[in-house]
Short mmCIF file of all heavy atoms in Angstrom, two decimals:
data_model
loop_
_atom_site.label_atom_id
_atom_site.label_comp_id
_atom_site.label_asym_id
_atom_site.label_seq_id
_atom_site.Cartn_x
_atom_site.Cartn_y
_atom_site.Cartn_z
N ILE A 175 -10.56 -10.92 7.14
CA ILE A 175 -10.85 -11.18 5.73
C ILE A 175 -9.59 -11.71 5.05
O ILE A 175 -8.53 -11.10 5.12
CB ILE A 175 -11.31 -9.89 5.01
CG1 ILE A 175 -12.60 -9.35 5.65
CG2 ILE A 175 -11.52 -10.15 3.52
CD1 ILE A 175 -13.02 -7.98 5.12
N HIS A 176 -9.72 -12.86 4.40
CA HIS A 176 -8.61 -13.42 3.65
C HIS A 176 -8.42 -12.66 2.33
O HIS A 176 -9.40 -12.23 1.71
CB HIS A 176 -8.87 -14.89 3.30
CG HIS A 176 -8.94 -15.79 4.49
ND1 HIS A 176 -7.86 -16.09 5.28
CD2 HIS A 176 -10.00 -16.46 5.03
CE1 HIS A 176 -8.23 -16.91 6.25
NE2 HIS A 176 -9.51 -17.15 6.13
N ILE A 177 -7.18 -12.51 1.91
CA ILE A 177 -6.88 -12.03 0.56
C ILE A 177 -6.31 -13.21 -0.21
O ILE A 177 -5.26 -13.74 0.13
CB ILE A 177 -5.89 -10.86 0.56
CG1 ILE A 177 -6.46 -9.66 1.32
CG2 ILE A 177 -5.55 -10.46 -0.89
CD1 ILE A 177 -5.50 -8.47 1.40
N GLU A 178 -7.04 -13.61 -1.23
CA GLU A 178 -6.66 -14.76 -2.04
C GLU A 178 -6.14 -14.29 -3.40
O GLU A 178 -6.65 -13.32 -3.96
CB GLU A 178 -7.87 -15.68 -2.24
CG GLU A 178 -7.59 -16.93 -3.06
CD GLU A 178 -8.80 -17.85 -3.10
OE1 GLU A 178 -9.80 -17.48 -3.76
OE2 GLU A 178 -8.76 -18.91 -2.46
N ILE A 179 -5.13 -14.97 -3.90
CA ILE A 179 -4.56 -14.67 -5.22
C ILE A 179 -4.84 -15.83 -6.14
O ILE A 179 -4.57 -16.99 -5.79
CB ILE A 179 -3.04 -14.43 -5.13
CG1 ILE A 179 -2.71 -13.32 -4.13
CG2 ILE A 179 -2.48 -14.10 -6.51
CD1 ILE A 179 -3.34 -11.98 -4.44
N ASP A 180 -5.36 -15.55 -7.32
CA ASP A 180 -5.70 -16.60 -8.27
C ASP A 180 -5.14 -16.23 -9.64
O ASP A 180 -5.61 -15.29 -10.28
CB ASP A 180 -7.22 -16.77 -8.35
CG ASP A 180 -7.64 -17.99 -9.14
OD1 ASP A 180 -6.77 -18.63 -9.77
OD2 ASP A 180 -8.84 -18.31 -9.14
N GLY A 181 -4.10 -16.99 -10.06
CA GLY A 181 -3.56 -16.80 -11.40
C GLY A 181 -2.07 -16.59 -11.43
O GLY A 181 -1.55 -15.63 -10.86
N GLY A 182 -1.36 -17.52 -12.04
CA GLY A 182 0.07 -17.35 -12.24
C GLY A 182 0.90 -17.44 -10.98
O GLY A 182 2.03 -16.93 -10.95
N VAL A 183 0.37 -18.08 -9.94
CA VAL A 183 1.12 -18.20 -8.68
C VAL A 183 2.18 -19.29 -8.81
O VAL A 183 1.88 -20.42 -9.22
CB VAL A 183 0.18 -18.51 -7.50
CG1 VAL A 183 0.98 -18.86 -6.25
CG2 VAL A 183 -0.74 -17.33 -7.23
N ASP A 184 3.41 -18.96 -8.46
CA ASP A 184 4.52 -19.92 -8.46
C ASP A 184 5.56 -19.39 -7.47
O ASP A 184 5.33 -18.36 -6.82
CB ASP A 184 5.09 -20.10 -9.87
CG ASP A 184 5.61 -18.82 -10.50
OD1 ASP A 184 5.99 -17.89 -9.75
OD2 ASP A 184 5.66 -18.74 -11.74
N PRO A 185 6.69 -20.05 -7.32
CA PRO A 185 7.68 -19.56 -6.36
C PRO A 185 8.23 -18.17 -6.67
O PRO A 185 8.81 -17.53 -5.78
CB PRO A 185 8.78 -20.62 -6.42
CG PRO A 185 8.06 -21.87 -6.80
CD PRO A 185 7.04 -21.43 -7.79
N ILE A 186 8.08 -17.70 -7.90
CA ILE A 186 8.55 -16.36 -8.26
C ILE A 186 7.54 -15.30 -7.85
O ILE A 186 7.90 -14.25 -7.29
CB ILE A 186 8.82 -16.26 -9.77
CG1 ILE A 186 9.85 -17.33 -10.21
CG2 ILE A 186 9.30 -14.85 -10.15
CD1 ILE A 186 11.19 -17.19 -9.55
N THR A 187 6.27 -15.54 -8.11
CA THR A 187 5.24 -14.53 -7.84
C THR A 187 4.67 -14.60 -6.43
O THR A 187 4.19 -13.58 -5.91
CB THR A 187 4.09 -14.67 -8.85
OG1 THR A 187 3.55 -16.01 -8.78
CG2 THR A 187 4.58 -14.42 -10.27
N ALA A 188 4.70 -15.76 -5.80
CA ALA A 188 4.13 -15.90 -4.46
C ALA A 188 4.68 -14.89 -3.46
O ALA A 188 3.91 -14.26 -2.72
CB ALA A 188 4.32 -17.33 -3.96
N PRO A 189 6.01 -14.71 -3.37
CA PRO A 189 6.51 -13.75 -2.39
C PRO A 189 6.07 -12.32 -2.65
O PRO A 189 5.93 -11.53 -1.71
CB PRO A 189 8.03 -13.89 -2.48
CG PRO A 189 8.31 -14.60 -3.76
CD PRO A 189 7.11 -15.44 -4.05
N LEU A 190 5.81 -11.97 -3.91
CA LEU A 190 5.38 -10.61 -4.23
C LEU A 190 4.01 -10.32 -3.63
O LEU A 190 3.80 -9.27 -3.01
CB LEU A 190 5.33 -10.42 -5.74
CG LEU A 190 6.61 -10.69 -6.53
CD1 LEU A 190 6.37 -10.49 -8.02
CD2 LEU A 190 7.74 -9.80 -6.04
N VAL A 191 3.08 -11.25 -3.80
CA VAL A 191 1.72 -11.01 -3.32
C VAL A 191 1.59 -11.21 -1.81
O VAL A 191 0.81 -10.53 -1.15
CB VAL A 191 0.69 -11.88 -4.08
CG1 VAL A 191 0.58 -11.41 -5.52
CG2 VAL A 191 1.03 -13.36 -4.01
N VAL A 192 2.37 -12.14 -1.27
CA VAL A 192 2.34 -12.33 0.19
C VAL A 192 2.92 -11.10 0.90
O VAL A 192 2.37 -10.63 1.90
CB VAL A 192 3.08 -13.62 0.59
CG1 VAL A 192 3.26 -13.69 2.10
CG2 VAL A 192 2.30 -14.83 0.10
N ALA A 193 3.99 -10.55 0.36
CA ALA A 193 4.56 -9.34 0.94
C ALA A 193 3.58 -8.17 0.87
O ALA A 193 3.57 -7.29 1.73
CB ALA A 193 5.85 -8.97 0.23
N ALA A 194 2.71 -8.19 -0.14
CA ALA A 194 1.71 -7.13 -0.29
C ALA A 194 0.49 -7.33 0.61
O ALA A 194 -0.30 -6.40 0.78
CB ALA A 194 1.26 -7.04 -1.75
N GLY A 195 0.35 -8.54 1.17
CA GLY A 195 -0.75 -8.76 2.11
C GLY A 195 -1.62 -9.96 1.87
O GLY A 195 -2.56 -10.21 2.61
N ALA A 196 -1.34 -10.76 0.84
CA ALA A 196 -2.16 -11.95 0.56
C ALA A 196 -1.83 -13.08 1.53
O ALA A 196 -0.71 -13.18 2.03
CB ALA A 196 -1.93 -12.42 -0.87
N ASP A 197 -2.82 -13.94 1.79
CA ASP A 197 -2.57 -15.09 2.66
C ASP A 197 -3.09 -16.41 2.09
O ASP A 197 -2.84 -17.46 2.68
CB ASP A 197 -3.18 -14.85 4.05
CG ASP A 197 -4.69 -14.71 4.03
OD1 ASP A 197 -5.39 -15.72 4.10
OD2 ASP A 197 -5.17 -13.57 3.94
N ALA A 198 -3.80 -16.37 0.97
CA ALA A 198 -4.28 -17.60 0.34
C ALA A 198 -3.85 -17.59 -1.12
O ALA A 198 -4.14 -16.63 -1.85
CB ALA A 198 -5.80 -17.73 0.44
N LEU A 199 -3.14 -18.64 -1.54
CA LEU A 199 -2.57 -18.68 -2.88
C LEU A 199 -3.13 -19.86 -3.66
O LEU A 199 -2.92 -21.01 -3.29
CB LEU A 199 -1.04 -18.80 -2.80
CG LEU A 199 -0.31 -17.77 -1.94
CD1 LEU A 199 1.18 -18.07 -1.92
CD2 LEU A 199 -0.59 -16.35 -2.43
N VAL A 200 -3.86 -19.56 -4.72
CA VAL A 200 -4.37 -20.60 -5.60
C VAL A 200 -3.29 -20.92 -6.62
O VAL A 200 -2.73 -20.03 -7.25
CB VAL A 200 -5.64 -20.13 -6.34
CG1 VAL A 200 -6.12 -21.19 -7.33
CG2 VAL A 200 -6.74 -19.80 -5.33
N ALA A 201 -2.98 -22.19 -6.76
CA ALA A 201 -1.96 -22.60 -7.73
C ALA A 201 -2.42 -23.88 -8.41
O ALA A 201 -2.81 -24.84 -7.74
CB ALA A 201 -0.62 -22.82 -7.03
N GLY A 202 -2.39 -23.88 -9.72
CA GLY A 202 -2.81 -25.05 -10.49
C GLY A 202 -1.62 -25.83 -11.00
O GLY A 202 -1.11 -26.75 -10.36
N SER A 203 -1.14 -25.44 -12.18
CA SER A 203 -0.02 -26.16 -12.79
C SER A 203 1.23 -26.11 -11.93
O SER A 203 2.03 -27.04 -11.93
CB SER A 203 0.28 -25.57 -14.18
OG SER A 203 0.49 -24.17 -14.11
N ALA A 204 1.40 -25.03 -11.14
CA ALA A 204 2.59 -24.92 -10.30
C ALA A 204 2.62 -25.97 -9.20
O ALA A 204 3.68 -26.31 -8.69
CB ALA A 204 2.67 -23.52 -9.68
N VAL A 205 1.44 -26.50 -8.83
CA VAL A 205 1.37 -27.57 -7.83
C VAL A 205 1.39 -28.94 -8.50
O VAL A 205 2.12 -29.85 -8.09
CB VAL A 205 0.12 -27.44 -6.95
CG1 VAL A 205 -0.13 -28.73 -6.15
CG2 VAL A 205 0.27 -26.27 -5.98
N PHE A 206 0.59 -29.11 -9.55
CA PHE A 206 0.38 -30.45 -10.11
C PHE A 206 1.46 -30.87 -11.12
O PHE A 206 1.52 -32.05 -11.49
CB PHE A 206 -1.00 -30.52 -10.77
CG PHE A 206 -2.12 -30.62 -9.77
CD1 PHE A 206 -2.85 -29.50 -9.40
CD2 PHE A 206 -2.44 -31.84 -9.19
CE1 PHE A 206 -3.88 -29.59 -8.47
CE2 PHE A 206 -3.47 -31.95 -8.27
CZ PHE A 206 -4.19 -30.82 -7.90
N LYS A 207 2.32 -29.95 -11.55
CA LYS A 207 3.31 -30.30 -12.57
C LYS A 207 4.28 -31.37 -12.04
O LYS A 207 4.72 -31.33 -10.89
CB LYS A 207 4.09 -29.06 -13.02
CG LYS A 207 4.97 -28.45 -11.95
CD LYS A 207 5.71 -27.23 -12.48
CE LYS A 207 6.62 -26.63 -11.40
NZ LYS A 207 7.31 -25.42 -11.87
N GLY A 208 4.57 -32.32 -12.89
CA GLY A 208 5.57 -33.33 -12.57
C GLY A 208 5.11 -34.50 -11.74
O GLY A 208 5.85 -35.45 -11.52
N GLY A 209 3.85 -34.45 -11.26
CA GLY A 209 3.36 -35.52 -10.40
C GLY A 209 2.14 -36.20 -10.96
O GLY A 209 1.64 -35.85 -12.04
N SER A 210 1.63 -37.17 -10.23
CA SER A 210 0.41 -37.89 -10.60
C SER A 210 -0.11 -38.58 -9.34
O SER A 210 0.56 -38.59 -8.30
CB SER A 210 0.70 -38.93 -11.68
OG SER A 210 1.51 -39.97 -11.15
N VAL A 211 -1.29 -39.18 -9.46
CA VAL A 211 -1.83 -39.88 -8.30
C VAL A 211 -0.94 -41.05 -7.90
O VAL A 211 -0.92 -41.46 -6.73
CB VAL A 211 -3.28 -40.38 -8.56
CG1 VAL A 211 -4.23 -39.22 -8.65
CG2 VAL A 211 -3.34 -41.24 -9.82
N ASN A 212 -0.21 -41.60 -8.85
CA ASN A 212 0.70 -42.70 -8.55
C ASN A 212 2.10 -42.23 -8.15
O ASN A 212 2.92 -43.03 -7.70
CB ASN A 212 0.79 -43.65 -9.75
CG ASN A 212 -0.53 -44.32 -10.04
OD1 ASN A 212 -1.23 -44.75 -9.12
ND2 ASN A 212 -0.90 -44.42 -11.31
N ASN A 213 2.36 -40.94 -8.35
CA ASN A 213 3.64 -40.36 -7.98
C ASN A 213 3.39 -38.96 -7.43
O ASN A 213 3.72 -37.94 -8.06
CB ASN A 213 4.57 -40.30 -9.20
CG ASN A 213 5.90 -39.64 -8.88
OD1 ASN A 213 6.41 -39.75 -7.77
ND2 ASN A 213 6.46 -38.91 -9.85
#
Side-chain angles (χ1 to χ4, degrees):
I175 299 172
H176 295 291
I177 299 178
E178 181 175 70
I179 304 301
D180 189 352
V183 171
D184 59 26
I186 303 299
T187 57
L190 303 178
V191 291
V192 170
D197 63 87
L199 307 178
V200 176
S203 54
V205 166
F206 285 99
K207 67 180 181 182
S210 68
V211 291
N212 296 318
N213 177 33

